[in-house]
Amino acid sequence: MSAKPNIPDHPGSRETSGHFLELHNIQKWFGGVHALRGIDLKLDLGQAYHLLGENGCGKSTVIKIMSGAIAPSEGQIIVEGERHSAMSPIQSLAAGIETVYQDLSLLPNLTVAENVALSEQLVSGKGRLGRVFDRNRLKETAATALKAVGLPSDRAFLSTIVSDLPLAARQLVAIARAIATRAKLVIMDEPTTSLTRREVDNLVRVVERLRQENVAVLFVTHKLDECYRIGGHAIVFRDGQCVAQGPIESYSKKQIAELMTGRSIGSERYRSGHAAPQELLAVRDLSVSGVDRMSFTLRKGEILGITGLADSGRNELAMAITGVAPARSGSITLDGRAVTIRRPADAIRHGIGYVPEDRLAEGLFLDKSILENEIALILTRLSNGLGVIDKQAGRATAERLSKEMRLNTTDLDLPVGALSGGNQQRVLIGRWLSIEPKLLVLHGPTVGVDVGSKDTIYRAIQALAEKGIGLIVVSDDLPELLQNVDRILVMNSGRVVAKFDAETATEDQLYQAMLTTKLETAL
Amino acid sequence: MSPTQLEELQQATPVRPPFSLAELVRKRPETITFTILVGICIAVSIANPAFLQPSTLIDIGRASVVMGLFALGVFIILAAGGIDVSFTAIAAFTMYSMTVLVQSYFPGMPIAVILLLATGGGALLGVINGLLVHHLKVPSLIVTIGTQYLFRGFLLSFIGTVWIMSLPPQMGAFGRLPLLQFESANGATITLPFYFLVLPIAAVITWWILNRTLMGRAIFAVGGNANIASRLGYDLRKVHVFLFGYAGALAGLAGIIHVCANRQANPFDLVGTEINVIAAVVLGGAKITGGTGTVLGTMLGVLLIVVINSVLVLVGIPSTWQRLVVGVFILLAAAFFVTRQRKK
């Protein structure tokens, strides 16, 4: 990624609005997707803000625009009265905007001191690299900033390589960097996802301290409990729009959940069929890193929804059942027979299919044709003794599958990369139908898919259940689960914390269960 | 991660952890290189005391110069997470073109200007590499395989294929210019050439750039994670251009020294020795995936390879075994370094 040039619309023009940062009518398109639809925001120094919204609502796009990682398609960014149509990372840093991404943006091979304080020297030198850096100032800046976040500041710690530190300490190192660069706005992207309660307490103290020093803090988070503890303003996004702004105390959890999900749209239930009485799958005491002795059953033709926050263990569970990241212990019984699943090939042999969340990276061969993608699993069956593939049989199969999945093209030689997200997903599900699966695990089946395609995918899911296939839908799209499944398991900290009948459950109930903190679970 | 770990950190006691060999090796992998080097030297000295004669040592020093300069270039590119296989072609290109240029057009050009022009020419070719790597967004291995062919093809097609046996006098004289000279026991004159000085000077400059300038830190930052580095405001284009330009400059300098030392210019020389150099750098403890390594380690790696080359002859092992031995060492070192990372 190269630095983008600074293109101020009216060079030098300043206006005294009094706000530290203003976003004015920010629009962003990714290809054909309208990710941000006119965002207006005003952030003041010394305040805490909580940017809330479901996955894919545009939260991360907005913070990337603020930090200069990407340029908006339209609109203006006004920092302390100075207008920009886009910022480069170094401009954003120089303006005092520091982002602590979920990955913390630490350089794993450099020392703590360098990670904390090099940015400050880089920014004060306007990004020029041909300079000797001041090693004494580096150590001093780093030590001061580390003290402020409650980390040691002795020489041994300063020269520790960051990849040797535990995660919580790395988080604080990243915040120390923000302090060292004398940031005026610190953006934290899901800072508490992987922290224990005590570490969160420490973080809350650090944030309080930043606010006292007149620094604005913007949190991007799912954890409403923590937002209420910290206090400040809530900013709620939905579908690339800002739907509410105001003091967080003036909203109830329920109201925020409603604002985030906007349940008015498309809430009719797709699920009409009924599961067969026979049990298809029984999972007992399944454990894997992040999943703690999970047990559940699934009947033929039943659709089971599993939800929870990103760190709840839902992803690990899906990957354990399908052999992507095999289980450490526990048993899986499929169709009355105990099965061992050590790798995806085992799962496929037993008729278990997996549609991963990140279909681009994990599921599809993007530069290969629809045909080649559809028959990828049955190449052995299609080939003769010499390993030569029967192309005609392959084409016939692919034609049947794409018809079944209602692909909106008949050109099977089109590369999959050229299709829309919804069609790509249908190709992927279609491929699994080629092995006549007993069980399909769908992970985020409509992530990044537009509303129209969602409808087709939902209809396809129902049709699969009608055929007697058992389905597990792992998703954090709550309306999706409520519309499509029979039962919903809510996971937290690797366990099921609540079970719901999808027909009667409400989004609010699910949200409450998802957000139950780890401590509450333990009690 | 448990909260206690963080608390431990917060109440970090100044007591240093007890000395541990594993920890030392993990932090400074070049200690392994050093140990192997010393081990070989001791073993060979016992087998054949002739090894400790000044003439052998000076031979080793002389043989290290060209490889050492190459290795410094490879190392800083490796530190930034890239790889370069075109440096030998850059060296061949500059050394041969300079020799032709001086011989045919500027016979009176002073040696200092020749050295400077060769270095500058190498830098220019390196910058081409850097720009291609940055703008094509293609892995540097692929880009430099392409430019290796390109530079070498251009050299052989348009500049010449004739082996130049008689160098311009000032170049030959530079190759013979002594830094140290003394007579050995058997009456022969042993010379440590002046050009040997170039290597330690280049090593110190490289060390200084990497450890004292923001560019140096930027190089390691990019090697750690290029996306994060650019997010933090490091200009990747500048880093790439500098990196490959610097490696090119070192290659150009190495090329001209190679010519002066051998007193002949063979356009078919050097290309094909890339792997040897990369092996030396990796043996010196730099990770092939980037972000780590030291100049000292790189120099030790070069010494190790040069010593293995010259030592096998001394103890009566056929020189064809050299590859075998180097191969074993690389595999051993690689296996060792990998287990060291897994333990973490």
Side-chain angles (χ1 to χ4, degrees):
Chain A
M1 205 179 359
S2 62
K4 286 159 209 87
N6 172 19
I7 323 159
D9 284 17
H10 312 286
S13 84
R14 281 176 175 274
E15 37 193 275
T16 43
S17 60
H19 302 292
F20 170 68
L21 177 92
E22 253 182 274
L23 296 184
H24 185 62
N25 190 29
I26 296 285
Q27 310 262 353
K28 180 71 190 176
W29 280 271
F30 290 109
V33 181
H34 200 173
L36 294 180
R37 305 155 185 259
I39 298 291
D40 289 291
L41 275 186
K42 294 184 176 70
L43 304 184
D44 291 321
L45 294 175
Q47 298 292 320
Y49 298 91
H50 304 275
L51 182 51
L52 303 161
E54 295 185 291
N55 289 349
C57 69
K59 289 177 301 190
S60 3
T61 313
V62 159
I63 62 171
K64 279 184 187 152
I65 285 174
M66 290 185 192
S67 62
I70 57 175
S73 310
E74 247 176 63
Q76 285 183 327
I77 309 158
I78 306 163
V79 188
E80 294 189 305
E82 198 172 333
R83 286 167 179 273
H84 303 267
S85 58
M87 291 197 288
S88 69
I90 199 90
Q91 276 179 324
S92 169
L93 288 165
I97 302 171
E98 178 82 21
T99 309
V100 181
Y101 285 97
Q102 222 173 341
D103 68 6
L104 302 181
S105 301
L106 294 175
L107 294 159
N109 57 332
L110 297 190
T111 64
V112 169
E114 286 168 340
N115 266 290
V116 170
L118 261 185
S119 283
E120 184 255 333
Q121 304 212 7
L122 185 71
V123 171
S124 65
K126 301 211 168 54
R128 283 195 311 269
L129 292 173
R131 296 182 312 133
V132 176
F133 61 90
D134 184 337
R135 282 185 301 144
N136 290 327
R137 196 173 99 208
L138 182 85
K139 278 182 204 144
E140 279 162 27
T141 322
T144 320
L146 288 170
K147 268 185 216 137
V149 297
L151 281 173
S153 52
D154 54 297
R155 262 190 74 207
F157 188 73
L158 285 177
S159 56
T160 307
I161 301 293
V162 160
S163 59
D164 290 348
L165 288 180
L167 186 65
R170 282 188 229 177
Q171 184 112 43
L172 293 173
V173 168
I175 296 170
R177 178 179 58 208
I179 294 173
T181 48
R182 287 186 277 282
K184 294 175 182 159
L185 167 64
V186 179
I187 303 171
M188 295 192 206
D189 189 4
E190 308 225 9
T192 59
T193 310
S194 42
L195 297 189
T196 64
R197 192 166 179 98
R198 275 164 102 166
E199 288 156 6
V200 171
D201 286 343
N202 188 28
L203 188 71
V204 171
R205 276 199 299 278
V206 171
V207 168
E208 197 42 52
R209 200 171 160 155
L210 285 172
R211 283 177 66 185
Q212 279 164 13
E213 287 168 21
N214 209 26
V215 174
V217 185
L218 175 69
F219 282 96
V220 179
T221 181
H222 277 298
K223 299 191 173 174
L224 285 177
D225 291 343
E226 282 157 17
C227 300
Y228 285 105
R229 267 183 70 195
I230 295 164
H233 293 263
I235 302 165
V236 185
F237 272 28
R238 187 175 69 228
D239 290 332
Q241 280 171 311
C242 182
V243 291
Q245 272 189 69
I248 193 157
E249 304 81 29
S250 60
Y251 297 97
S252 69
K253 263 192 195 180
K254 185 171 181 297
Q255 281 172 317
I256 288 183
E258 275 176 17
L259 284 165
M260 279 162 68
T261 52
R263 46 210 259 118
S264 53
I265 35 166
S267 53
E268 93 274 17
R269 225 168 117 71
Y270 285 81
R271 184 69 177 143
S272 53
H274 293 284
Q278 308 97 307
E279 183 179 284
L280 172 72
L281 172 81
V283 172
R284 295 233 183 290
D285 290 334
L286 184 127
S287 288
V288 65
S289 130
V291 177
D292 187 18
R293 279 165 295 152
M294 274 280 285
S295 300
F296 63 90
T297 59
L298 179 77
R299 287 179 292 160
K300 282 190 176 153
E302 190 183 23
I303 310 181
L304 175 69
I306 296 182
T307 190
L309 296 174
D311 61 344
S312 60
R314 61 184 164 110
N315 303 345
E316 291 77 5
L317 177 72
M319 290 194 271
I321 298 172
T322 54
V324 178
R328 260 202 317 255
S329 63
S331 69
I332 298 173
T333 315
L334 186 70
D335 243 354
R337 275 189 18 219
V339 293
T340 316
I341 296 164
R342 300 251 118 246
R343 56 188 72 86
D346 294 342
I348 293 167
R349 199 158 33 87
H350 292 301
I352 300 176
Y354 178 48
V355 179
E357 188 172 28
D358 186 355
R359 59 182 167 269
L360 303 183
E362 295 169 28
L364 290 166
F365 307 105
L366 288 182
D367 48 353
K368 299 281 182 226
S369 65
I370 298 176
L371 172 74
E372 284 167 295
N373 270 285
E374 295 269 36
I375 62 171
L377 287 171
I378 50 167
L379 290 177
T380 1
R381 201 200 302 160
L382 288 173
S383 55
N384 61 20
L386 290 171
V388 179
I389 293 162
D390 182 346
K391 288 221 175 99
Q392 264 164 358
R395 189 165 285 272
T397 313
E399 264 166 19
R400 180 173 57 78
L401 295 173
S402 38
K403 209 168 281 168
E404 202 167 327
M405 289 311 298
R406 296 190 216 172
L407 227 54
N408 69 359
T409 173
T410 46
D411 182 3
L412 293 180
D413 297 312
L414 218 59
V416 164
L419 301 177
S420 70
N423 275 305
Q424 288 178 347
Q425 191 67 304
R426 278 178 259 172
V427 170
L428 193 50
I429 298 176
R431 177 201 292 163
W432 286 108
L433 297 186
S434 71
I435 62 163
E436 278 136 31
K438 294 175 186 164
L439 170 66
L440 264 187
V441 180
L442 306 171
H443 196 167
T446 59
V447 171
V449 161
D450 55 89
V451 183
S453 282
K454 273 188 180 177
D455 182 73
T456 335
I457 290 172
Y458 292 156
R459 284 178 206 286
I461 290 175
Q462 298 308 326
L464 296 176
E466 288 299 313
K467 291 168 78 178
I469 298 173
L471 289 123
I472 297 176
V473 180
V474 180
S475 175
D476 51 15
D477 186 339
L478 298 180
E480 170 170 302
L481 293 179
L482 292 171
Q483 287 165 1
N484 282 289
V485 308
D486 295 307
R487 287 181 297 139
I488 300 172
L489 305 182
V490 179
M491 288 182 70
N492 198 326
S493 307
R495 290 184 212 173
V496 176
V497 289
K499 296 177 188 177
F500 293 98
D501 184 343
E503 196 152 11
T504 55
T506 66
E507 250 179 86
D508 192 37
Q509 289 174 322
L510 291 172
Y511 243 107
Q512 297 281 358
M514 274 167 76
L515 299 174
T516 312
T517 59
K518 288 172 188 180
L519 190 76
E520 289 165 43
T521 325
L523 288 175
Chain B
M1 171 62 211
S2 70
T4 49
Q5 274 172 290
L6 185 58
E7 275 158 25
E8 265 169 37
L9 270 176
Q10 281 165 343
Q11 304 148 7
T13 40
V15 182
R16 301 202 62 144
F19 176 80
S20 117
L21 190 66
E23 192 58 21
L24 175 71
V25 169
R26 194 170 75 76
K27 290 212 168 121
R28 318 274 321 181
E30 61 268 28
T31 36
I32 289 289
T33 324
F34 184 70
T35 316
I36 297 178
L37 190 60
V38 170
I40 292 180
C41 291
I42 292 174
V44 173
S45 318
I46 293 169
N48 184 352
F51 176 70
L52 285 179
Q53 279 175 7
S55 60
T56 326
L57 298 183
I58 280 175
D59 273 346
I60 290 173
R62 239 189 353 221
S64 311
V65 176
V66 170
M67 192 186 208
L69 289 174
F70 281 151
L72 287 172
V74 168
F75 166 57
I76 80 160
I77 290 177
L78 218 54
I83 197 158
D84 182 3
V85 293
S86 71
F87 57 92
T88 50
I90 292 181
F93 188 96
T94 46
M95 71 163 186
Y96 192 76
S97 317
M98 275 313 294
T99 314
V100 170
L101 189 75
V102 174
Q103 201 172 38
S104 324
Y105 304 100
F106 304 100
M109 190 187 279
I111 184 68
V113 177
I114 297 176
L115 290 175
L116 267 174
L117 276 182
T119 313
L124 213 64
L125 296 180
V127 167
I128 295 177
N129 274 337
L131 289 173
L132 286 173
V133 167
H134 184 78
H135 289 289
L136 294 181
K137 303 203 186 315
V138 171
S140 50
L141 174 65
I142 308 298
V143 168
T144 55
I145 287 176
T147 52
Q148 188 205 77
Y149 277 80
L150 204 72
F151 296 153
R152 191 162 189 240
F154 191 89
L155 169 69
L156 299 177
S157 319
F158 298 109
I159 298 179
T161 50
V162 186
W163 196 329
I164 303 176
M165 301 294 282
S166 59
L167 284 190
Q170 69 273 40
M171 289 172 75
F174 176 69
R176 283 188 299 272
L177 186 68
L179 180 67
L180 276 177
Q181 204 163 37
F182 49 88
E183 259 180 34
S184 72
N186 56 15
T189 321
I190 306 162
T191 314
L192 181 64
F194 180 78
Y195 65 73
F196 173 77
L197 268 188
V198 172
L199 181 59
I201 293 174
V204 168
I205 293 177
T206 309
W207 176 87
W208 183 82
I209 291 176
L210 284 176
N211 293 289
R212 289 290 179 267
T213 68
L214 270 179
M215 178 55 87
R217 295 292 91 191
I219 287 170
F220 277 101
V222 170
N225 187 324
N227 278 332
I228 290 178
S230 110
R231 236 190 260 159
L232 293 178
Y234 296 94
D235 186 339
L236 294 191
R237 186 169 186 269
K238 281 185 202 159
V239 173
H240 282 137
V241 166
F242 173 81
L243 202 60
F244 284 92
Y246 187 75
L250 287 172
L253 185 61
I256 207 74
I257 287 178
H258 175 79
V259 169
C260 297
N262 290 335
R263 287 159 219 162
Q264 48 175 301
N266 175 4
F268 295 94
D269 250 5
L270 294 174
V271 178
T273 62
E274 304 85 42
I275 296 295
N276 229 0
V277 178
I278 295 171
V281 177
V282 172
L283 276 177
K287 260 192 250 170
I288 199 91
T289 47
T292 61
T294 58
V295 168
L296 180 67
T298 304
M299 291 295 97
L300 287 171
V302 169
L303 264 181
L304 184 59
I305 296 244
V306 172
V307 164
I308 292 171
N309 284 350
S310 47
V311 139
L312 293 180
V313 182
L314 272 179
V315 289
I317 300 174
S319 60
T320 44
W321 281 55
Q322 180 239 325
R323 279 165 192 279
L324 208 79
V325 175
V326 174
V328 168
F329 275 135
I330 289 177
L331 289 179
L332 281 180
F336 189 85
F337 292 153
V338 167
T339 40
R340 147 183 82 104
Q341 280 148 28
R342 278 202 203 112
K343 262 184 213 141
K344 268 195 352 192

